[in-house]
Amino acid sequence: MADDSERVPPPFPESEQRETDPADGESDEDSDDFEGEDIFTGNSQPSEPKKDPLPPAAPTTTTTTSSNTKTNGLHSDDEEQDIFAEATVELALDSPLNNRKREPAQAKPSAPGPSLTVTGPSTLKPPPAKTFEELEEEEEEDAFELNIAVTNPEKVGDGMNAYMAYKVSTQTNLPMFKCKTYTVKRRFSDFLGLYEKLSEKHSQNGYIVPPPPEKSILGMTKVKVGKEDSSSVEFVERRRASLERYLQRVVSHPSLLQDPDVREFLEKDELPRAVSTQALSGAGFLKMINRATDAVSKMTIKMNESDIWFEEKLLEVESEDQHLRKLLSVVETLVNHRKELSSNTAMFAKSVAMLGSSEDNTALSRALSQLAEVEDKIEQLHQDQACNDFFILAELFADYIRLLTAVRGSFDHRMKTWQRWQDAQTTLQKKRENEAKLLWANKPDKLQQAKDEISEWESKVTQYERDFERVSATVRKEVLRFEKEKAMDFKNQLVRYLETLLHSHQQLIKYWEAFLPEAKAIA
Amino acid sequence: MMDAGIEDNSNHDFSGYDVRVTDAAQNGDTFVYVIKSQQISSDTEYRVEREFEDFEWLHHCLLTQEGVTGLHGIIFPPLPAKPGTSLSNSEAKTKKKIESLAMVDDWQMYCRALEEYLHLVTAHPVLVKNPAVHSFLKHRELPLKTKVKKGIFNKLTQAVEELRKEHHKDIDDFFQNERDSNLTLTAFTKAAVEKFLEIVLTEQKIAIACGHFSTALHLGIGQDDDPADYAFAKMCLKLSEVLDTVKKNFEKVAENDLNTLGFNLELHSRFQDAEKEMLFRRTCKLVDVETANKNLGQAKPHKKAAMEDIKKAADKEFDEISGMAKVEIQRYHRERVRAFQKALIELELAATCFCCSSTGWLSLNSSVQNNYIQNCTVWN
């Protein structure tokens, strides 16, 4: 590895310092590059044995045979620098940039040892847990393949009874399904019905059941009435995307997937209409009342927490919730500003066009019209980026805020189980006291009854205690799984987002470069 | 500080100047601008400090100079609007309408506008000969100036006259066309400037929002013991970094937009106004000529000679003005097109440059992100 000796990796303590350095305004790329490098370096220290070397894009290549992790990490850092040096040189050319982007994406270094598949920029949600987790979690993943897509929103019916039907397509090679592919039509209340059924059955056992997207009376009314404007189109698209994510989350949960209701949802052609999900129905009111009583009882339960883990986790969940809400509001501001920029650009494009048309000098006039066109395209670009901001980031945050509510729900159920156990113990105690009293009062017939009751309650107490243990274990497992999934989810979305940013920047370059010859041609 | 001696009037050198407005310092209520200039033919560099009032004085001197034929046919380079105090800047911002560069909170921009004004004056073949220019650039103290009061009275009478004379038909097609096109172009340019400055404002707003987003991401970074939390935290940091870049990018883009097309459009718009004023002056003269002709026709015999003289003087002035005006107009259009081209090219180059650099950074990061996060989750 003679090449490697040329690039002496920076020693660790230095690079840690650099991490805390505020990026100076000037050489943006360099300082930002260092920060990226530092996080990388800082990370690689406790890295575990199997770590893939970065695919070298620089001409000086390092062989991928090195198995030394630490130097691997550092070398990839240096390669980052090299790659970047390339970037600054080849500014004017489009293709090298594209190549560089595609290279890392396509390079799939085959990793020795446990399966470590490189999930490149994926458009579909990648088959979950095709990674290291299998070893730790004893989930059967090797043959696990289940892809779900929700597409084709169609308006069915007319007037106030109209609804949107979505096409749900499933592709799978799981043995439990009879066929490989399914396509069914579902409406929004079907999804809600699925959630109701799953929630009834599983949340009391501490499972975190993913919540469906929210109902929106205003949004749906606009669609029903038939307004074909951009906001209702956006609404439908938003709903479709969140329904898709909802289903994907449900099926990625190993226990929920086993539930026959889920299978029915995916397979059956006609589902009975889930009436209990209607907002203004008897069932709806009943649910509201239940929720109110739950809230009250939650406040009165003072749990004697034997396991600090749960308390800590709950606090974490609370702070995460706050964090996500803050992020959501900030992203929404960003989205609004981008939309504003888009409309301002459109207006400017119009006024430039007018300027160009009233200009006498033909070359200048043409150049100005060209400028107007460029600005128009840029406007579309900004609009798209705003959508991406929204659909990728904002929805992600919103989803997780709802999911955190579900997490809190599972904690609450655990508390209820505990309460039940405690209540049973109290009752048992009372029964025993009763028995003692009867013994003293010497009433043999009632005594037998008391003894029966005692044994009944004793068994109940044991059962409830076991329930509580079981639910606690489930909650614990669920939370850990949730966190892992959250990390994966965020990672995927972040990569997607970066890609959209990258794409829009590249488009910008293309548009401006096309404009240059026109500008030069003036006079 | 180089002190220029008071030079003899007869030794004026009319070669070109190289003028720079290098600094603006706040001195109590007003701003003082440092102007460095050097004549191309000589080696001495002069440095003077001027306030905005001095610029107004210079402008006034140019407008009222004696002994220049067809003075009124000159399109005078427009002076930038008076800079407001910081209070009025924020007021303007709340009004959400930006009417001039002076309201955009950027003193460098304003210095550049002043510099451009001086460039235009010194590049004008007629105007540079005015001794006031010389004094302005070289003398420590300007001669005692009578405060130039743009009285309200002047504006009122001017406004009334304008309405009457503006639509006066011209005898020369060339000029009539010019007047018409000037009218439309002025309106469009003003609209374009407004919209463009709004774009710049929005870009700045986006930059700020990105900054907020980036900071907010830092808030959630808590304890790192849990490996999933750790991965999540690192991701937040990464996104935060990306956003910082996006923010800087937007800031640069906004700055660049202002510096190139924004500056040019705004100057252009003011110049259109100056041209309009010149054409108006000429039209007034035209009215005078026609009035003189009419008077001559109607004059009683004993006044005929006097009227004849007036008419001759009016005619002569009018011809001089028209002659100068034609030259000026052609020069103006040439310069305008050239300036526009330069601005557009600069806009394009800078835009591509920024995009390239951030694209490079982003592509690097998305690939790094991919690999690094996998590695992150490996040792989960």
Side-chain angles (χ1 to χ4, degrees):
Chain A
M1 297 201 239
D3 288 350
D4 308 340
S5 60
E6 287 173 6
R7 291 173 299 201
V8 178
F12 282 126
E14 241 179 70
S15 53
E16 298 293 339
Q17 266 182 354
R18 248 186 279 140
E19 194 169 15
T20 57
D21 243 346
D24 35 297
E26 272 322 286
S27 51
D28 279 349
E29 308 122 33
D30 288 335
S31 53
D32 287 343
D33 184 34
F34 278 144
E35 281 170 44
E37 177 189 2
D38 288 335
I39 292 184
F40 212 75
T41 325
N43 211 10
S44 63
Q45 257 171 315
S47 70
E48 72 94 67
K50 306 297 180 194
K51 185 165 161 191
D52 292 319
L54 256 196
T60 54
T61 54
T62 42
T63 55
T64 55
T65 54
S66 104
S67 53
N68 186 350
T69 56
K70 285 215 172 136
T71 42
N72 255 356
L74 292 176
H75 277 237
S76 35
D77 294 336
D78 286 345
E79 275 172 5
E80 278 169 54
Q81 270 179 302
D82 276 339
I83 293 176
F84 203 64
E86 293 266 304
T88 49
V89 163
E90 301 178 43
L91 278 182
L93 307 172
D94 223 21
S95 33
L97 284 175
N98 276 329
N99 282 342
R100 216 172 290 120
K101 177 196 166 196
R102 268 185 253 122
E103 257 182 78
Q106 287 167 0
K108 297 188 195 293
S110 51
S115 61
L116 182 68
T117 53
V118 174
T119 47
S122 47
T123 45
L124 261 188
K125 184 159 154 95
K130 220 188 190 181
T131 62
F132 51 93
E133 288 178 7
E134 7 176 353
L135 300 175
E136 292 177 50
E137 300 260 351
E138 301 145 11
E139 293 167 22
E140 24 95 292
E141 272 93 55
D142 290 74
F144 187 49
E145 176 95 34
L146 179 65
N147 294 332
I148 296 199
V150 174
T151 49
N152 273 21
E154 273 174 350
K155 187 163 163 211
V156 176
D158 237 338
M160 285 315 283
N161 289 330
Y163 61 91
M164 292 301 272
Y166 302 89
K167 187 165 86 164
V168 178
S169 359
T170 322
Q171 268 178 301
T172 176
N173 57 11
L174 283 178
M176 68 167 115
F177 288 93
K178 297 185 224 97
C179 307
K180 294 257 168 155
T181 61
Y182 293 98
T183 308
V184 288
K185 284 228 184 265
R186 295 282 178 257
R187 52 183 291 185
F188 186 63
S189 51
D190 294 336
F191 288 83
L192 293 181
L194 176 66
Y195 171 70
E196 290 295 329
K197 290 188 214 151
L198 290 177
S199 174
E200 251 177 67
K201 285 191 264 180
H202 298 286
S203 32
Q204 61 201 34
N205 291 331
Y207 285 102
I208 301 175
V209 181
E214 276 157 6
K215 280 197 260 218
S216 165
I217 300 183
L218 181 62
M220 268 324 279
T221 320
K222 268 204 260 177
V223 172
K224 285 182 189 181
V225 164
K227 265 179 85 173
E228 277 297 324
D229 65 345
S230 60
S231 66
S232 59
V233 166
E234 206 178 291
F235 171 76
V236 170
E237 173 55 30
R238 196 175 159 191
R239 178 160 274 196
R240 181 207 68 79
S242 49
L243 286 176
E244 188 173 89
R245 286 195 306 272
Y246 165 63
L247 276 186
Q248 284 168 343
R249 284 204 186 93
V250 167
V251 298
S252 67
H253 193 302
S255 325
L256 287 183
L257 185 56
Q258 308 292 335
D259 191 316
D261 277 328
V262 172
R263 246 175 298 147
E264 190 183 68
F265 184 88
L266 292 175
E267 296 176 341
K268 216 161 161 192
D269 276 330
E270 284 291 325
L271 276 190
R273 178 88 186 281
V275 264
S276 66
T277 60
Q278 275 171 338
L280 305 172
S281 67
F285 281 129
L286 203 60
K287 254 185 289 177
M288 276 202 291
I289 296 174
N290 280 338
R291 239 177 277 149
T293 44
D294 273 349
V296 170
S297 57
K298 189 163 78 166
M299 286 195 286
T300 52
I301 295 180
K302 259 283 176 262
M303 182 156 170
N304 223 351
E305 188 59 75
S306 50
D307 195 344
I308 315 180
W309 186 90
F310 288 95
E311 226 173 88
E312 282 177 355
K313 267 303 163 197
L314 199 56
L315 285 176
E316 260 181 55
V317 164
E318 293 293 325
S319 72
E320 238 182 82
D321 182 64
Q322 288 211 347
H323 186 216
L324 283 177
R325 278 180 208 274
K326 177 104 203 330
L327 285 180
L328 184 62
S329 73
V330 163
V331 169
E332 281 177 348
T333 330
L334 184 60
V335 169
N336 285 336
H337 283 322
R338 258 201 231 268
K339 289 206 174 126
E340 203 184 314
L341 181 62
S342 162
S343 64
N344 281 343
T345 317
M347 287 202 290
F348 176 64
K350 279 203 200 80
S351 61
V352 169
M354 286 210 292
L355 200 57
S357 61
S358 50
E359 175 65 47
D360 289 330
N361 184 314
T362 37
L364 183 58
S365 166
R366 206 175 43 239
L368 284 175
S369 326
Q370 274 297 96
L371 180 65
E373 277 179 33
V374 168
E375 293 287 338
D376 250 337
K377 289 192 203 142
I378 292 182
E379 178 242 336
Q380 189 56 43
L381 212 57
H382 284 311
Q383 181 75 4
D384 290 341
Q385 185 59 41
C387 282
N388 280 328
D389 281 353
F390 180 72
F391 280 111
I392 299 181
L393 290 182
E395 289 284 81
L396 176 70
F397 295 147
D399 275 355
Y400 272 91
I401 292 177
R402 275 203 307 274
L403 275 167
L404 284 180
T405 324
V407 172
R408 256 193 251 114
S410 75
F411 276 84
D412 290 342
H413 280 292
R414 177 175 167 271
M415 254 209 304
K416 272 199 249 165
T417 332
W418 181 83
Q419 188 64 31
R420 202 162 52 149
W421 173 36
Q422 297 301 325
D423 288 343
Q425 279 189 321
T426 331
T427 326
L428 180 62
Q429 186 66 17
K430 273 199 232 143
K431 297 285 179 202
R432 285 212 174 110
E433 285 171 10
N434 195 23
E435 191 207 18
K437 262 191 266 173
L438 286 176
L439 262 176
W440 216 68
N442 206 5
K443 291 201 183 132
D445 44 334
K446 286 220 181 115
L447 200 60
Q448 187 54 38
Q449 184 192 15
K451 277 209 178 9
D452 287 336
E453 281 179 358
I454 288 181
S455 54
E456 180 195 337
W457 276 100
E458 270 175 355
S459 64
K460 272 199 187 159
V461 165
T462 349
Q463 190 205 340
Y464 289 165
E465 187 176 354
R466 250 183 275 132
D467 276 349
F468 175 67
E469 302 290 317
R470 180 176 50 86
V471 169
S472 294
T474 314
V475 168
R476 204 185 203 128
K477 202 169 72 147
E478 282 286 287
V479 167
L480 286 177
R481 194 191 139 268
F482 169 75
E483 285 183 346
K484 279 216 182 72
E485 205 180 80
K486 180 178 79 167
M488 287 284 269
D489 218 352
F490 269 78
K491 161 212 157 186
N492 289 333
Q493 297 298 77
L494 185 54
V495 169
R496 258 179 82 197
Y497 182 65
L498 282 184
E499 278 162 15
T500 61
L501 272 185
L502 182 60
H503 174 77
S504 72
H505 273 83
Q506 287 173 331
Q507 286 296 99
L508 262 181
I509 295 178
K510 267 208 214 110
Y511 294 152
W512 280 117
E513 280 181 349
F515 176 66
L516 184 59
E518 279 297 332
K520 284 205 168 134
I522 304 175
Chain B
M1 177 163 93
M2 277 267 275
D3 200 357
I6 309 290
E7 289 192 14
D8 199 356
N9 272 350
S10 56
N11 269 352
H12 280 175
D13 186 350
F14 296 135
S15 58
Y17 282 83
D18 174 26
V19 183
R20 291 181 309 285
V21 176
T22 48
D23 210 0
Q26 189 150 18
N27 181 10
D29 240 354
T30 55
F31 280 81
V32 172
Y33 306 97
V34 174
I35 302 173
K36 295 205 178 116
S37 60
Q38 182 181 16
Q39 277 192 283
I40 298 194
S41 54
S42 84
D43 272 334
T44 36
E45 199 187 72
Y46 300 93
R47 181 191 182 282
V48 291
E49 293 180 350
R50 295 280 175 251
E51 296 182 358
F52 188 73
E53 282 181 343
D54 303 327
F55 280 88
E56 283 177 327
W57 170 83
L58 175 61
H59 200 67
H60 179 75
C61 285
L62 291 173
L63 282 171
T64 55
Q65 63 186 330
E66 304 280 322
V68 177
T69 48
L71 178 72
H72 285 199
I74 296 182
I75 303 178
F76 291 95
L79 196 55
K82 190 174 173 73
T85 58
S86 50
L87 202 60
S88 69
N89 272 356
S90 47
E91 274 172 24
K93 277 194 182 148
T94 53
K95 271 195 278 175
K96 287 201 179 131
K97 226 166 80 103
I98 302 228
E99 278 146 6
S100 77
L101 269 184
M103 295 194 205
V104 181
D105 245 340
D106 193 344
W107 290 111
Q108 281 202 322
M109 278 267 81
Y110 197 70
C111 284
R112 191 166 160 217
L114 290 175
E115 192 179 291
E116 189 66 26
Y117 170 72
L118 290 175
H119 273 151
L120 290 166
V121 166
T122 51
H124 195 289
V126 174
L127 292 179
V128 74
K129 294 185 186 151
N130 189 316
V133 173
H134 196 76
S135 300
F136 184 89
L137 288 176
K138 300 188 179 172
H139 294 172
R140 209 61 183 287
E141 294 291 331
L142 289 177
L144 206 48
K145 21 187 171 137
T146 49
K147 281 284 184 189
V148 180
K149 283 249 171 71
K150 286 194 206 152
I152 306 178
F153 186 59
N154 284 347
K155 289 238 168 200
L156 267 179
T157 49
Q158 199 181 3
V160 170
E161 276 182 24
E162 248 172 76
L163 282 174
R164 217 165 29 96
K165 292 183 186 172
E166 202 168 272
H167 299 290
H168 189 96
K169 198 85 175 60
D170 208 307
I171 49 173
D172 190 337
D173 265 344
F174 172 75
F175 282 103
Q176 185 62 42
N177 285 339
E178 191 60 30
R179 277 161 68 185
D180 293 334
S181 74
N182 175 282
L183 211 56
T184 39
L185 273 182
T186 315
F188 288 153
T189 320
K190 278 208 168 43
V193 173
E194 220 179 273
K195 301 286 177 289
F196 193 72
L197 291 177
E198 260 175 47
I199 288 186
V200 171
L201 253 192
T202 325
E203 283 170 349
Q204 288 172 338
K205 272 197 252 177
I206 290 187
I208 296 178
C210 283
H212 285 322
F213 193 0
S214 167
T215 334
L217 280 168
H218 279 274
L219 286 179
I221 314 298
Q223 56 276 51
D224 297 347
D225 28 355
D226 201 44
D229 276 349
Y230 187 56
F232 181 69
K234 286 297 184 186
M235 259 183 286
C236 283
L237 276 180
K238 199 62 173 171
L239 183 57
S240 168
E241 253 178 60
V242 171
L243 284 166
D244 274 335
T245 316
V246 172
K247 169 186 174 188
K248 281 188 206 121
N249 190 37
F250 266 106
E251 282 171 355
K252 276 209 188 134
V253 165
E255 195 185 311
N256 171 55
D257 281 349
L258 261 190
N259 272 333
T260 56
L261 197 55
F263 185 78
N264 181 61
L265 279 178
E266 205 260 348
L267 178 65
H268 190 45
S269 150
R270 276 183 289 130
F271 236 122
Q272 298 278 52
D273 282 339
E275 195 197 8
K276 183 169 162 195
E277 275 169 26
M278 181 278 278
L279 289 169
F280 178 69
R281 286 195 292 269
R282 184 182 159 279
T283 316
C284 290
K285 210 59 194 169
L286 177 61
V287 170
D288 284 347
V289 164
E290 291 182 355
T291 322
N293 277 340
K294 202 170 66 181
N295 284 346
L296 184 60
Q298 292 172 349
K300 301 200 175 86
H302 64 278
K303 287 221 177 140
K304 260 239 160 48
M307 286 295 149
E308 187 83 37
D309 282 336
I310 294 178
K311 171 184 149 52
K312 279 217 180 82
D315 273 340
K316 178 160 167 271
E317 257 184 70
F318 181 68
D319 286 334
E320 283 173 354
I321 291 179
S322 296
M324 174 64 92
K326 240 195 182 119
V327 169
E328 279 286 287
I329 288 175
Q330 282 161 343
R331 189 170 158 272
Y332 167 62
H333 281 306
R334 258 202 329 271
E335 284 307 306
R336 189 171 64 91
V337 170
R338 199 186 52 82
F340 230 128
Q341 176 190 29
K342 183 154 160 265
L344 287 176
I345 292 181
E346 277 176 4
L347 176 74
E348 193 277 342
L349 283 178
T352 344
C353 186
F354 293 147
C355 284
C356 276
S357 65
S358 46
T359 309
W361 193 88
L362 277 175
S363 69
L364 170 69
N365 266 279
S366 74
S367 66
V368 166
Q369 180 79 338
N370 244 329
N371 288 304
Y372 132 81
I373 287 197
Q374 280 151 23
N375 293 321
C376 227
T377 45
V378 159
W379 46 270
N380 214 338

